[in-house]
Amino acid sequence: MTLANRSLVTIDDLSVAEIEVVFSLADEMSAARDKQFDVCRGKIMASLFFEPSTRTRLSFEAAMHRLGGSVISAVDIGATSLAKGESLADMAKVVGSYADIIVIRHPWEGAAKVMADYAGVPVINAGDGGHQHPTQTLCDLYTIKKERQTIKGLKIALWGDLKYGRTIHSLIFALAKFGADILFCPSPGLEVPEHVLRKLTTEYGGELQRYQAPEQTAKDNLFPLDAIYTTPSSPHQLAMISGISIEVELKTGVDALYVTRPQQERFAPAEKGREAQPEYPVVDKKLLKGKVFREALVMHPLPRVDELAREVDADPRSMYFKQAARGVPVRMALIALLLGAKEISAPGADDSFIHTKDYPAYRRDSGIRCPNPRCVSIQETETKYLKPEFKIVDREPVTLRCVYCEHGFEPKYVASTDWHEGRLENKKYHNADSRWARKIKPENLIIFDTEATARNSGFKPSRSARAVH
Ligand code: NCD
């Protein structure tokens, strides 16, 4: 199997079999770490880190050095031509002509996709805003696999900031791919975004069940938080066994507790202060005494702030420093595979589904923009060449997903290119949640943000159209 010339932008880009290939090469490379100097000799990796990083950047760079390659780097937007108003696409083309592979971390969601679209060499997403961080996920999965030999069927609890944690978003889809059950334990107000849940249920077959935390009684309190439980491996597992409840399922304990820090740098102004206790749940010795965590691996992508007590470090269940250390062999394997320096025979046919559900595309220039303020597609330097692009992921009501940041939203007004009987007086726009909207074929759909744009495009309100605010 070869992964040569591929990019890793989201975890969707790798199938289960391909991830297994990365892991077996990582095993091989960590067993003979000092014998890898010829693997990427003569190759150059560009390391572009436009957000703070310790582990990810240094482990990527250490990985390339251990493979015998060289590293060129930029770590501050202010020191690059991006500060002069250069677009990401231009930067991608230039850096792609200097380096054989590019690793990028950027605050804009979808930035890694833009780099991958324009660089002409493999691009690895090392974190794009709150969107995804697929190589951290590889380190997380590799750790679970090393410690528990399998991922399928395990129960993994995700803890803390599930809204802005990009490691969480990549991990959710990866766990679903591998058939693990996921328990979401968000800090209040930092729940998993709707668009992530939608993708999990529509593309990964996850079935969600809501769990109401019991009153705080020390004895029967499994989790101090409300949670969502999903069973992607066998969606109807719980429903099929009559009388079974999440509480019963949980009594056998969780296999891993994945803790995350509040991603304060991405909080909206109204969310400031959510990191403060007791809002933000702390994982400490006392919590880990609970029966449900008896066998749980305690994981964290790091850095930690106050959400994971230092007293846990000495506990044999703590895995976070191992997770970080494993970043080097995992990234060595990934770089070598994407550069085509290594090819590996896959253990069997790849029966895992690759998640590229064929939703109709919406590319029409009707003034509609992604509403996510951190999306790369709406940044001033990028709008000069990037055309907004969406997938139509639902019709009732019409729901779009941005192809860059993957945020979902429900636009307000729609029309058809094929107006009734072709008569101009029938050139009408409708509310997006009306029955008229559902009748329009995806290829004829025109979507508007506001009534003003609909009118400026020559459409009149249909009789049922009403203002939506
Ligand atoms: C994470 C990140 O940058 O998203 N760190 C990492 O890469 N290990 C997690 C975090 O910053 O909280």
Side-chain angles (χ1 to χ4, degrees):
M1 177 189 285
T2 176
L3 295 183
N5 300 319
R6 297 249 302 262
S7 287
L8 177 57
V9 173
T10 72
I11 200 70
D12 297 341
D13 293 332
L14 291 175
S15 69
V16 168
E18 288 165 346
I19 294 174
E20 300 279 16
V21 160
V22 175
F23 291 169
S24 58
L25 186 57
D27 280 343
E28 211 181 279
M29 288 182 156
S30 67
R33 204 176 63 171
D34 297 335
K35 299 208 176 84
Q36 309 300 325
F37 287 118
D38 285 323
V39 176
C40 292
R41 193 182 291 282
K43 299 283 183 195
I44 295 178
M45 180 182 92
S47 162
L48 311 177
F49 278 76
F50 303 132
E51 265 194 340
S53 174
T54 306
R55 271 152 296 275
T56 308
R57 180 164 77 88
L58 295 184
S59 63
F60 262 115
E61 295 184 2
M64 191 53 168
H65 286 301
R66 292 210 176 271
L67 293 168
S70 329
V71 178
I72 53 175
S73 60
V75 290
D76 173 13
I77 287 190
T80 71
S81 288
L82 293 179
K84 302 179 192 167
E86 184 172 48
S87 69
L88 276 175
D90 283 1
M91 181 186 222
K93 286 184 209 160
V94 172
V95 179
S97 71
Y98 300 158
D100 302 288
I101 189 163
I102 299 173
V103 180
I104 181 167
R105 170 169 289 190
H106 198 288
W108 295 341
E109 295 166 12
K113 173 172 163 49
V114 175
M115 285 300 273
D117 288 347
Y118 289 88
V121 297
V123 170
I124 302 176
N125 180 7
D128 56 338
H131 178 216
Q132 287 221 4
H133 190 348
T135 65
Q136 178 63 46
T137 294
L138 294 178
C139 304
D140 302 337
L141 295 177
Y142 186 64
T143 297
I144 299 174
K145 188 111 201 267
K146 282 251 147 294
E147 303 296 326
R148 292 283 180 269
Q149 284 68 54
T150 181
I151 300 167
K152 193 177 168 71
L154 296 187
K155 279 188 224 114
I156 316 287
L158 307 181
W159 187 274
D161 184 351
L162 310 190
K163 182 173 180 183
Y164 295 114
R166 56 190 172 202
T167 66
I168 289 285
H169 304 153
S170 305
L171 185 57
I172 287 172
F173 300 126
L175 290 172
K177 245 189 234 262
F178 275 84
D181 296 347
I182 311 166
L183 187 77
F184 299 116
C185 309
S187 175
L190 298 173
E191 289 83 12
V192 185
E194 268 317 303
H195 65 271
V196 175
L197 290 182
R198 171 190 291 273
K199 187 163 157 182
L200 180 64
T201 51
T202 57
E203 279 158 65
Y204 289 84
E207 175 150 304
L208 305 179
Q209 306 214 9
R210 300 208 183 238
Y211 166 77
Q212 192 90 46
E215 285 302 308
Q216 293 279 337
T217 59
K219 208 160 90 336
D220 61 357
N221 194 9
L222 294 170
F223 280 101
L225 296 169
D226 291 352
I228 299 181
Y229 189 73
T230 175
T231 55
S233 53
S234 41
H236 303 296
Q237 183 186 311
L238 290 181
M240 270 166 22
I241 312 167
S242 63
I244 197 156
S245 69
I246 296 172
E247 285 89 334
V248 173
E249 267 294 293
L250 286 181
K251 282 204 167 120
T252 55
V254 298
D255 297 284
L257 175 62
Y258 189 95
V259 189
T260 56
R261 111 189 129 82
Q263 310 281 303
Q264 288 184 60
E265 66 275 34
R266 286 189 265 281
F267 281 7
E271 292 170 328
K272 297 275 180 236
R274 289 230 161 112
E275 69 286 8
Q277 301 212 40
E279 281 268 288
Y280 206 92
V282 174
V283 171
D284 55 14
K285 254 182 169 169
K286 186 165 159 255
L287 181 99
L288 293 175
K289 279 208 178 98
K291 233 168 98 189
V292 75
F293 300 116
R294 198 166 48 205
E295 309 269 324
L297 306 170
V298 181
M299 302 178 71
H300 195 305
L302 298 178
R304 75 173 138 188
V305 193
D306 298 317
E307 68 288 347
L308 178 58
R310 272 134 192 97
E311 61 191 17
V312 178
D313 295 3
D315 190 304
R317 291 169 291 184
S318 76
M319 285 294 131
Y320 26 97
F321 292 112
K322 279 192 182 171
Q323 262 167 281
R326 286 170 177 152
V328 176
V330 167
R331 291 181 170 112
M332 284 171 78
L334 182 68
I335 294 168
L337 287 162
L338 299 185
L339 282 174
K342 284 274 179 189
E343 296 196 349
I344 214 166
S345 58
D350 189 355
D351 57 354
S352 65
F353 42 117
I354 291 211
H355 302 275
T356 47
K357 195 164 169 162
D358 242 353
Y359 290 118
Y362 186 79
R363 296 196 187 92
R364 217 178 281 282
D365 195 2
S366 58
I368 195 134
R369 282 160 45 103
C370 178
N372 171 14
R374 281 184 298 271
C375 179
V376 67
S377 73
I378 62 159
Q379 308 302 326
E380 206 186 321
T381 46
E382 315 305 307
T383 50
K384 292 173 191 156
Y385 66 98
L386 279 187
K387 293 270 159 284
E389 193 178 328
F390 307 93
K391 289 180 182 168
I392 306 169
V393 294
D394 207 340
R395 293 301 299 269
E396 293 186 31
V398 176
T399 308
L400 298 184
R401 179 194 293 162
C402 172
V403 298
Y404 294 99
C405 69
E406 299 195 271
H407 272 237
F409 65 102
E410 293 169 19
K412 293 178 187 145
Y413 304 100
V414 299
S416 172
T417 51
D418 181 22
W419 47 85
H420 190 54
E421 292 172 346
R423 295 219 304 263
L424 264 183
E425 64 267 31
N426 292 335
K427 199 176 170 190
K428 301 276 171 66
Y429 65 88
H430 314 274
N431 284 96
D433 58 357
S434 66
R435 65 192 177 93
W436 298 107
R438 292 199 281 281
K439 289 192 178 155
I440 303 169
K441 289 200 196 114
E443 63 271 25
N444 294 339
L445 202 59
I446 314 177
I447 300 177
F448 300 111
D449 262 340
T450 62
E451 291 197 272
T453 44
R455 285 175 198 269
N456 290 342
S457 309
F459 289 85
K460 290 189 279 304
S462 70
R463 220 173 308 147
S464 61
R466 54 183 201 285
V468 185
H469 301 288

